[in-house]
Amino acid sequence: MLTIDIITIFPKIFENVVEFGVIKEAFNNNLCRLNIYNLRDFTLDKHKKVDDRPYGGGPGMIMNVQPIYDAATFIKSKNRVAGKEGQKVLLLSPKGGRLTQAKLRYLSGLKNIIIICGRYEGIDERVTELVADEELSIGDYVLTGGEIPAMVVIDGVLRLLPGVVGKSESLECESFENNLLDHPQYTRPPIFKGLKVPDVLLSGNHVNIEKWRKKKSLDLTKEKKPDLFDKKI
Ligand code: 4GY
């Protein structure tokens, strides 16, 4: 079973992530586990501080390496995964490699994912060198902390676990793993404010429907995500 461990100074942000939709069902059916750790519980500072001023000067505060190192070490020894390969410590930051569907697929095969959520102006570089196995980014923009990116990883990974999302839907995500966008979808009514559902979808001709969907999927990817289109399988 996959266990995800989160290291954060704001544990409350994660309180509701297990309470909705297929993710809630995944936890109810014991397909995965989520543990939230408060970084402040690991600081040796008597005032529970986990940040300090940057060496060399500059604005803002930097997260200390010590509490993060101790938290990760504690969680690693607690989980004791058979084989180091099944356990990865992730640091979420704009400097990381881009998170892709292929990366989520890889992460979903692990036994234990430990996610470090940064805050403030940045994190001591020694966290990257000493603690994190991999630095990941959810996109080229800057947020106030790693908590929302961590939720992106939780959601994206858990839906790939066997039994979390229904069979038909998992086949659709397979099509994203070909690096193609999904074709347009419609449901009732057949006409809304003058906009009609394409005739072919109402025709009942499944060969034509499949052809239409494949073409739309290719056209859409070429137009909206040319970088993906070049990598299509
Ligand atoms: N983009 N992808 C991201 C982010 C916030 C300062 C380190 C991102 O993953 N994380 O913007 N994170 C920063 C805030 C400390 C994390």
Side-chain angles (χ1 to χ4, degrees):
M1 197 201 336
L2 172 65
T3 300
I4 301 181
D5 298 280
I6 306 290
I7 302 170
T8 174
I9 60 166
F10 294 125
K12 276 181 180 269
I13 294 182
F14 293 90
E15 268 174 15
N16 299 318
V17 293
V18 303
E19 286 184 23
F20 302 96
V22 293
I23 300 300
K24 175 182 175 174
E25 294 309 314
F27 285 101
N28 285 348
N29 295 326
N30 290 315
L31 300 176
C32 48
R33 243 196 291 264
L34 180 68
N35 304 310
I36 314 297
Y37 293 89
N38 190 334
L39 182 64
R40 289 192 200 281
D41 293 341
F42 295 89
T43 181
L44 299 176
D45 180 84
K46 57 177 181 292
H47 301 109
K48 298 259 174 212
K49 254 169 65 89
V50 293
D51 62 328
D52 212 331
R53 298 196 312 271
Y55 279 123
M61 299 294 269
I62 304 301
M63 291 186 100
N64 296 113
V65 59
Q66 176 271 316
I68 297 175
Y69 180 88
D70 285 355
T73 304
F74 173 81
I75 295 166
K76 276 189 204 171
S77 67
K78 183 170 179 270
N79 289 338
R80 276 192 210 292
V81 170
K84 205 177 166 293
E85 277 312 296
Q87 185 173 56
K88 286 278 175 280
V89 180
L90 307 182
L91 176 62
L92 293 167
S93 103
K95 282 187 291 177
R98 192 79 57 80
L99 184 66
T100 60
Q101 190 63 29
K103 183 68 78 178
L104 288 175
R105 174 64 70 185
Y106 160 76
L107 293 173
S108 74
L110 296 172
K111 284 259 163 271
N112 183 204
I113 302 170
I114 301 166
I115 305 178
I116 301 164
C117 302
R119 279 272 155 179
Y120 312 117
E121 214 59 42
I123 306 165
D124 191 305
E125 189 63 25
R126 289 165 292 188
V127 170
T128 309
E129 292 168 30
L130 211 59
V131 189
D133 295 306
E134 195 159 348
E135 207 169 352
L136 285 180
S137 164
I138 63 160
D140 296 338
Y141 40 78
V142 183
L143 305 173
T144 59
E147 285 77 8
I148 291 172
M151 284 189 218
V152 169
V153 173
I154 293 170
D155 194 84
V157 166
L158 293 189
R159 70 181 286 283
L160 294 176
L161 295 179
V164 174
V165 170
K167 246 207 178 91
S168 61
E169 286 160 274
S170 74
L171 284 176
E172 274 169 37
C173 96
E174 223 83 275
S175 82
F176 197 89
E177 279 169 28
N178 295 340
N179 284 326
L180 287 177
L181 297 174
D182 219 350
H183 53 78
Q185 301 271 24
Y186 298 86
T187 185
R188 291 193 293 176
I191 305 175
F192 185 76
K193 307 244 183 237
L195 286 183
K196 284 190 68 189
V197 173
D199 286 334
V200 60
L201 297 179
L202 308 172
S203 71
N205 184 330
H206 291 285
V207 175
N208 284 351
I209 291 172
E210 239 1 88
K211 272 192 211 155
W212 182 88
R213 286 182 166 170
K214 183 79 194 167
K215 181 173 167 7
K216 282 287 175 186
S217 173
L218 286 166
D219 291 351
L220 204 62
T221 311
K222 197 169 186 172
E223 185 192 324
K224 309 236 174 173
K225 304 272 155 120
D227 52 326
L228 270 188
F229 188 79
D230 293 336
K231 288 188 288 179
K232 76 175 193 302
I233 309 163

